[in-house]
Amino acid sequence: MTGVLDGKVAVVAGAGDGIGRATALAFARAGADVVLAARRPEPLEKLAGEVAALTGREAVAMPTDIADAAQCHRLVEAAADLLGRVDIVVNVATYNPSGRIEEIERDEFRRAFDVNVLGVLEVSRAALPYMRRVGGGSIVQISSAAPRMKLPGLGAYASTKAAMEIASATMAREVGPEGIRVNVVVAGYTDNAKLAAYIDEIAAKKGSTADEVRRDMAQSAALRRITRPEDIAETVLFLSGPGAAAITGTVTHVTSGVTLEP
């Protein structure tokens, strides 16, 4: 895929680690300059240095809380001001409150919607005028297997991801005539720090080991493996490039088969 994004500028919201980090590196290797957003500046600055050292592409670190609409617009405006254009937006940032629906605090539920729905859509909406200026663009939202699996304790998170998917599909119809594509990638169990913490939590509840829980998770997938952030990044890269010029409004599962219907 080297060079398929030459001359493009991509904004990656939630680029601090995991899927966001892998996506930013994949984009830079494919020739894009990248603007990296997350709440904590340290991981962003480290990643920006890696991008420059490994690929020679421009990388701008922009600490951003996408629950704040003003910061969403500042992020996209900075990308256009500093790098000249905005072609691609990827929304990886997420907030995952855990707990039974009847127990979860209202403020926690609201925060999940502010980040996972309103924040994702605000970054996307902020980018639209800049994409129109260059004749089109690509928006890719990262969703989750949670709405399909309906696991106890993840109801708040799952409901926000489901809402985001519907809004994104609607946006795809609305902006499609302007050459702007909107797609969703569903991530399943993905090998990152959050999954490691989740595995430790399950292991403690079951009285088993983290290795046993991890093995069971892998066995629950059709491919008998846990998905890597790089697997998802490669799919996002494809959806953002010229090979996906006729693809919009889709929901692509990169879950190693965890979300296959029984």
Side-chain angles (χ1 to χ4, degrees), residues 8-261:
K8 304 296 186 183
V9 172
V11 175
V12 182
D17 58 14
I19 296 169
R21 178 181 181 278
T23 298
L25 287 168
F27 279 0
R29 291 189 184 104
D33 295 327
V34 292
V35 176
L36 313 171
R39 286 195 296 166
R40 294 189 298 125
E42 294 82 5
L44 296 180
E45 291 162 3
K46 180 180 178 183
L47 178 57
E50 287 183 65
V51 167
L54 291 173
T55 69
R57 305 307 311 174
E58 291 284 339
V60 178
M62 283 287 298
T64 305
D65 181 355
I66 70 166
D68 183 329
Q71 292 189 46
C72 294
H73 285 267
R74 185 196 67 182
L75 166 66
V76 178
E77 288 166 6
D81 290 344
L82 295 171
L83 299 179
R85 56 192 291 153
V86 176
D87 302 276
I88 300 164
V89 165
V90 182
N91 282 297
V92 186
T94 191
Y95 182 72
N96 183 0
S98 61
R100 291 165 59 91
I101 292 290
E102 65 179 303
E103 297 169 348
I104 196 165
E105 295 290 336
R106 185 181 182 88
D107 286 346
E108 285 285 280
F109 221 132
R110 182 178 288 112
R111 173 72 181 176
F113 267 96
D114 283 345
V115 174
N116 302 346
V117 184
L118 300 180
V120 164
L121 296 178
E122 200 65 47
V123 174
S124 303
R125 297 191 325 170
L128 294 178
Y130 299 98
M131 291 181 174
R132 290 179 180 122
R133 290 181 191 176
V134 296
S138 170
I139 298 170
V140 180
Q141 325 285 31
I142 303 301
S143 189
S144 167
R148 286 92 185 156
M149 300 177 78
K150 301 172 183 64
L151 297 174
L154 294 179
Y157 175 67
S159 63
T160 62
K161 289 297 189 179
M164 180 272 288
E165 289 185 25
I166 294 298
S168 296
T170 305
M171 181 181 281
R173 282 195 177 273
E174 293 171 345
V175 301
E178 299 168 287
I180 300 170
R181 301 180 295 106
V182 186
N183 291 289
V184 172
V185 171
V186 172
Y189 296 127
T190 306
D191 206 358
N192 56 25
K194 289 179 182 177
L195 182 66
Y198 182 57
I199 285 173
D200 288 342
E201 181 182 333
I202 293 175
K205 288 179 180 178
K206 288 186 172 181
S208 60
T209 67
D211 286 344
E212 289 170 337
V213 173
R214 178 177 287 271
R215 184 175 62 250
D216 289 344
M217 279 186 176
Q219 288 299 308
S220 72
L223 295 178
R224 302 296 191 265
R225 67 191 287 268
I226 291 175
T227 305
R228 300 174 302 122
E230 291 78 12
D231 298 323
I232 296 165
E234 288 298 319
T235 302
V236 174
L237 175 59
F238 168 72
L239 288 171
S240 302
I247 299 176
T248 195
T250 65
V251 178
T252 302
H253 290 227
V254 187
T255 66
S256 296
V258 167
T259 49
L260 281 175
E261 292 293 331

